[in-house]
Amino acid sequence: MDPGSDIIAPFQQSKPDKTICALSEKQEQEAIEAFHHLATVFREPRCLNCHGSVNPFVEGGGHVGGVININETLQQYSRSQSFANAVRESRGGMSTTDQDVQQARDAIEHAVSHPDTGDADIGSSNRDLVFLSCQQCHSVPPLPRWRVPMVKNWFAHIGSRQPKGDEQLCELMRAHTITGDFATPADFLNHLDHEDFVMIGFKGNRGLNDNGILTYEDVTKKTFRLEPPSMPHGEMMKWAKAWAEAIGYRYWNKRPKDCGCKPHRYGMRAQWNNIYRDPEISAFLNTKATPGHAPLVFNDDASFKLQMDMVAQEQAFVAGECRGNLTLKHALSIEGNVDESAERLRAKPRWAWASAEGIMVCTDRRGRTTYKQIKMPMDPTPSSRIPEFDMAAQTDETKELKVEWNQGSQHGETFIKFELMQETEQAK
């Protein structure tokens, strides 16, 4: 973290989120395209400079007004009468006690001496007091007061202060929708359409008052002029609305935070084993299948439908006379959806028996051996032997089923394991 960012809360890195983003390919593409246009505005100087590209608290931080020694400034300022007056003004005037003033002073002095705790110990109302010195140059209406965003809201990388990419900026916005800072798409759009700092940014005046303009011209030897973003505000709002609509209400407050920020590729794997017995004819079949796999692709309503081919090897024993090994080919179809909570995946699987091929070796009572070539199609009608199920909508999540069935003298058990996967292959 940059020196001087001690008044700003550090951003905690989180573990990878395995929650599935059940947007359709069309919705993802629309969201990514819309945010690409938003990101170009966020990386322009009027946005980027405030959000981390300029750091007024370090040498070489790019601040035209020079380096602000925030520790020294805070220590001197917190002991002044103007600090006490500012605390009372920000907290209700006469209702603020001397004890309230001292608590605010203690919080700021603690943050200065313990920079790792940062904004978490200062508190939002004290942050406004910290940045009062900025009003010497930045005080153009309608700004209530100038302040620097916290590190977690920076559009630039900590240290290098170079702009972040589309995906990182998108995840920053999504983090705010998930925590409820932008509880609805309307909150997000209203922030971009009416927030004071955004409006100042599109005016292009940097919030500079007469003193700030004189300082700028003296330091840079340039004539001050308005420099708004190259994209008009109305066009930015068009893309912001398109991004919000592509994500939709289903995922607006839901994880993962990269949902609507990058493509996602998922798959489903299934593996089954089957044991079949028929005492009347002394038949026993033991079937083991290799895993089947299919891409898991969602429609706009978070529904899906897939089919996977499965190959199984079957050991057969019939009437004490015939033994053999068969290769079975099946098709497993699954349809379902991710529910409105975006937390559960519901599935309805169906078998479609396809074919059987192999050789049976039979020995009659006289000891004669015959070979029977087995090659035949099997009933393609989907079976309802597999029950519907649900599972957590997360990659690496598994669901195991045991299905017991009886038909006359025939009985058996089918064991099936389903797994949701994060794909690493080509895009879905």
Side-chain angles (χ1 to χ4, degrees):
M1 181 177 295
D2 280 341
S5 61
D6 52 324
I7 58 171
I8 306 173
F11 180 75
Q12 299 296 325
Q13 296 293 331
S14 58
K15 295 180 180 179
D17 194 337
K18 295 183 178 182
T19 305
I20 282 178
C21 172
L23 296 181
S24 68
E25 183 177 11
K26 174 177 174 289
Q27 290 168 329
E28 284 193 329
Q29 290 177 344
E30 289 178 349
I32 293 168
E33 172 67 15
F35 199 88
H36 169 71
H37 292 280
L38 277 182
T40 62
V41 179
F42 293 163
R43 284 193 288 264
E44 292 209 29
R46 296 291 71 76
C47 297
L48 187 65
N49 286 357
C50 280
H51 285 265
S53 184
V54 171
N55 188 340
F57 307 115
V58 297
E59 291 288 348
H63 185 231
V64 173
V67 178
I68 298 175
N69 188 325
I70 194 66
N71 289 7
E72 181 179 326
T73 300
L74 286 178
Q75 288 170 342
Q76 293 177 356
Y77 174 64
S78 67
R79 291 176 172 80
S80 68
Q81 183 58 44
S82 59
F83 174 81
N85 294 338
V87 171
R88 291 191 172 91
E89 179 182 351
S90 66
R91 300 188 182 184
M94 298 300 295
S95 63
T96 303
T97 65
D98 291 340
Q99 183 178 3
D100 294 330
V101 174
Q102 186 58 47
Q103 287 177 346
R105 181 180 293 116
D106 292 343
I108 289 178
E109 291 187 352
H110 177 77
V112 170
S113 59
H114 299 80
D116 291 339
T117 61
D119 193 72
D121 278 357
I122 292 179
S124 59
S125 60
N126 289 330
R127 289 189 79 249
D128 290 337
L129 301 174
V130 167
F131 291 105
L132 282 178
S133 60
C134 300
Q135 310 310 307
Q136 297 176 37
C137 293
H138 302 276
S139 64
V140 173
L143 292 180
R145 57 182 57 85
W146 189 268
R147 62 159 65 181
V148 175
M150 293 183 288
V151 166
K152 68 176 183 178
N153 294 325
W154 279 13
F155 298 168
H157 292 285
I158 300 171
S160 70
R161 300 196 302 278
Q162 294 300 306
K164 294 179 178 178
D166 289 7
E167 187 178 321
Q168 292 169 311
L169 290 172
C170 182
E171 289 187 14
L172 190 157
M173 294 299 119
R174 286 282 288 120
H176 285 294
T177 72
I178 293 171
T179 59
D181 295 334
F182 299 133
T184 67
D187 293 334
F188 172 70
L189 297 175
N190 186 66
H191 174 79
L192 294 181
D193 205 19
H194 300 292
E195 209 278 332
D196 292 334
F197 277 95
V198 176
M199 296 300 99
I200 285 292
F202 274 90
K203 285 184 178 180
N205 63 8
R206 306 159 174 84
L208 293 177
N209 56 28
D210 290 342
N211 182 55
I213 291 174
L214 289 174
T215 300
Y216 171 86
E217 293 183 335
D218 181 60
V219 174
T220 66
K221 310 305 179 185
K222 297 179 181 178
T223 301
F224 174 79
R225 61 185 179 87
L226 300 180
E227 296 181 1
S230 59
M231 180 184 293
H233 182 260
E235 184 176 353
M236 180 193 73
M237 292 306 301
K238 178 188 75 173
W239 292 115
K241 183 178 180 181
W243 181 66
E245 289 179 346
I247 294 173
Y249 280 94
R250 179 188 296 271
Y251 275 99
W252 187 255
N253 301 119
K254 305 295 191 306
R255 305 187 332 266
K257 69 178 182 179
D258 59 9
C259 190
C261 299
K262 70 174 188 178
H264 292 81
R265 297 179 292 278
Y266 301 111
M268 181 175 283
R269 176 187 291 156
Q271 187 170 12
W272 66 279
N273 298 323
N274 189 63
I275 298 175
Y276 165 89
R277 303 178 185 87
D278 189 340
E280 288 188 359
I281 60 173
S282 300
F284 175 80
L285 305 177
N286 185 18
T287 309
K288 293 186 178 181
T290 57
H293 172 269
L296 178 59
V297 181
F298 296 98
N299 300 314
D300 287 355
D301 61 355
S303 66
F304 66 90
K305 187 174 183 178
L306 60 85
Q307 180 172 306
M308 63 181 74
D309 295 326
M310 306 184 73
V311 178
Q313 301 299 319
E314 182 173 83
Q315 293 179 333
F317 176 85
V318 181
E321 298 178 350
C322 298
R323 299 174 183 270
N325 293 292
L326 304 178
T327 298
L328 308 180
K329 294 183 179 180
H330 307 280
L332 177 63
S333 63
I334 306 173
E335 59 181 78
N337 69 287
V338 171
D339 66 11
E340 284 297 323
S341 71
E343 294 182 356
R344 305 296 297 179
L345 183 143
R346 296 168 177 166
K348 181 188 294 185
R350 291 289 185 270
W351 283 119
W353 299 89
S355 66
E357 184 175 347
I359 298 177
M360 295 290 290
V361 181
C362 300
T363 304
D364 63 18
R365 295 178 179 178
R366 296 181 180 180
R368 293 177 298 185
T369 301
T370 58
Y371 297 87
K372 295 182 179 181
Q373 181 77 29
I374 307 295
K375 187 172 185 179
M376 60 184 191
M378 300 184 76
D379 183 6
T381 304
S383 167
S384 59
R385 289 176 176 172
I386 307 176
E388 299 178 16
F389 65 90
D390 68 48
M391 59 195 300
Q394 297 182 349
T395 56
D396 298 335
E397 186 72 12
T398 61
K399 181 73 174 185
E400 297 186 35
L401 302 177
K402 177 183 178 181
V403 183
E404 297 186 26
W405 46 272
N406 294 278
Q407 295 178 342
S409 63
Q410 303 173 10
H411 64 276
E413 299 90 32
T414 300
F415 303 89
I416 312 172
K417 180 179 180 181
F418 297 91
E419 181 180 5
L420 300 179
M421 305 168 58
Q422 177 78 53
E423 300 281 44
T424 57
E425 300 173 0
Q426 61 183 4
K428 64 183 180 183

